[in-house]
Structures are given as C-alpha cells and as structure tokens.
Amino acid sequence: MKKAIYLFILVFCYLPLQVSASSTHSNSYSNVNSPDVVIKHVYKEANLKGVIDFQVFKEGYNAYYNTKGRKKQLLTIIDYSKPSTEKRFFVIDLKRNKLVYHTYVSHGVNSGGREATRFSNIVNSRQTSLGTFLTDTTYYGGNGYSLRLDGMTHGVNDNARRRYIVVHGADYATESFIQRHGYLGRSWGCPALPKGLSRQIIDTIKGGSVIYAHA
C-alpha cells in the first residue's frame, strides 16, 4: 500500500514538469514562457549563433509573431546591415527550428553600392524598403518567376505593391557576379536572389509567410 501511494505521488509531481518542459518547445508566447525564453530557444535550436545576429533575429521573430494574416511557420530575415558581398538572406523554418536557406540578396540601385545606406517607401525611388512584409502569390513578369509582397509597416514599406517590390531571381545576384565586380548587382528596390535558388525559395515562402528586412 505504501509503495502504491509513493508511486502515485511521484507520478503526480512529475507530470507538471513534463508539461512545463514541453511548453518551452512551442514557438509561441504564453503565460509560462516570456518572449525572450521562446526566442532564445529557437535561436539555439536552429544553430543561428554566428550566422544571424541575435538582436536582428529577435526583431524578426517579434515581427513574425505580431503579423496578422500569416499562414506559414516560416520567417525570412534580410539583414541589410551586412554588405551585399555577404549572404544576408535567411529563411528559418520555425516549426522545425531549422535554417533552410542562407544566400545572397540584392538591394536597390539608389540605396548604395556595396552597402545599403539609404531606404525609401517612395514610388520610383529605386531604393530598398525595410520593415515587415507578408508574401502573397506568384506570377511571371519581366524578371521571370516572381513573388508579390505586401508591406505591413505603415509609412515604411506599405507602398510595396505600388512600387512593384517583389522577390525574383537575377543573374547579378550571384557569387560569380561578386567575383567579377567586387560587389553584388543592384535592383530597382526588389530583393533579388540568385537565379539558381530563386524558384525554390519563392515556392517555399509564398502564400503568407513573413519577411523582415533590417538595417
């Protein structure tokens, strides 16, 4: 009898610990987990240390969490504080806590040369926009297979549709272009990706995932 009571107490005390431990693996905020706990957990599990600056990832994760209408557990971060010669486009699967793409991305021709220093929301500025975007549908245009974006940050990128800011592939967004010219080619404000990767990345992030552009 004493043994049965002991087992009951052991199981009763252990169950709450299991629930608490499992809750830290959920990529959403709760009364138990503070935002910082969740963000640090995802950052660690996805092995992002030394790949993405933690503060940039934190801003991106908060943008993801606060974006209404998102349909996918994917977060794309573009870190324009890095020069175009570095891989600064990151796609993170928040369901599996895994970095799935890490590649080059262009900035606007009027945003700067090797580094982007000027940003705009103005039509025809040919500058890059910062802030939070939500991906939409795909289409074939002048730059081939492309992905429409909606700017979600008021006054910062909400003219994305009017400016035709889309994700697309480009020959000038490749490592070979950097080797020839010493910098990545520039767009008219679109985040252009290497052509060899652009289609598969677009197909991964299309249809309601969050992009966060930082500088």
Side-chain angles (χ1 to χ4, degrees):
M1 182 67 181
K2 288 183 178 180
K3 187 176 182 181
I5 293 172
Y6 174 77
L7 287 172
F8 173 79
I9 293 171
L10 185 63
V11 171
F12 182 80
C13 292
Y14 181 65
L15 278 175
L17 293 176
Q18 282 189 311
V19 172
S20 176
S22 64
S23 67
T24 63
H25 288 71
S26 171
N27 295 340
S28 59
Y29 304 158
S30 68
N31 292 329
V32 177
N33 297 318
S34 71
D36 280 350
V37 169
V38 175
I39 293 167
K40 287 176 182 177
H41 171 75
V42 177
Y43 188 79
K44 180 180 179 181
E45 289 293 304
N47 296 312
L48 299 178
K49 187 176 181 180
V51 180
I52 307 175
D53 178 79
F54 176 75
Q55 186 60 36
V56 175
F57 175 74
K58 181 177 179 179
E59 291 174 12
Y61 194 97
N62 282 324
Y64 162 84
Y65 183 80
N66 291 311
T67 299
K68 295 179 180 179
R70 56 182 165 84
K71 300 175 182 177
K72 291 185 173 181
Q73 286 183 270
L74 291 169
L75 169 62
T76 298
I77 293 176
I78 307 175
D79 187 358
Y80 287 116
S81 68
K82 296 177 179 291
S84 65
T85 50
E86 293 185 24
K87 294 181 178 181
R88 52 186 182 172
F89 185 95
F90 312 87
V91 180
I92 305 140
D93 184 332
L94 296 178
K95 188 174 183 180
R96 296 183 296 158
N97 292 340
K98 183 178 180 181
L99 178 65
V100 290
Y101 292 106
H102 180 199
T103 190
Y104 299 102
V105 63
S106 70
H107 56 254
V109 66
N110 289 334
S111 281
R114 186 170 171 270
E115 298 181 3
T117 57
R118 299 179 297 277
F119 304 92
S120 177
N121 189 37
I122 299 172
V123 176
N124 297 324
S125 67
R126 297 186 183 180
Q127 292 183 15
T128 291
S129 291
L130 301 178
T132 305
F133 299 84
L134 197 60
T135 66
D136 195 24
T137 55
T138 60
Y139 70 99
Y140 286 91
N143 291 302
Y145 192 56
S146 304
L147 175 62
R148 296 181 179 91
L149 302 177
D150 287 309
M152 309 300 287
T153 309
H154 180 69
V156 176
N157 65 14
D158 52 358
N159 279 330
R161 286 276 187 163
R162 292 178 59 205
R163 297 183 62 205
Y164 298 99
I165 300 301
V166 300
V167 179
H168 63 80
D171 292 329
Y172 57 74
T174 60
E175 190 167 4
S176 60
F177 190 98
I178 295 172
Q179 290 170 352
R180 291 195 305 271
H181 301 280
Y183 57 89
L184 204 68
R186 292 161 295 168
S187 67
W188 284 9
C190 297
L193 302 173
K195 263 195 172 176
L197 281 174
S198 60
R199 175 177 283 274
Q200 63 192 78
I201 291 176
I202 286 171
D203 283 341
T204 298
I205 67 175
K206 68 182 179 182
S209 73
V210 172
I211 296 177
Y212 176 70
H214 164 88

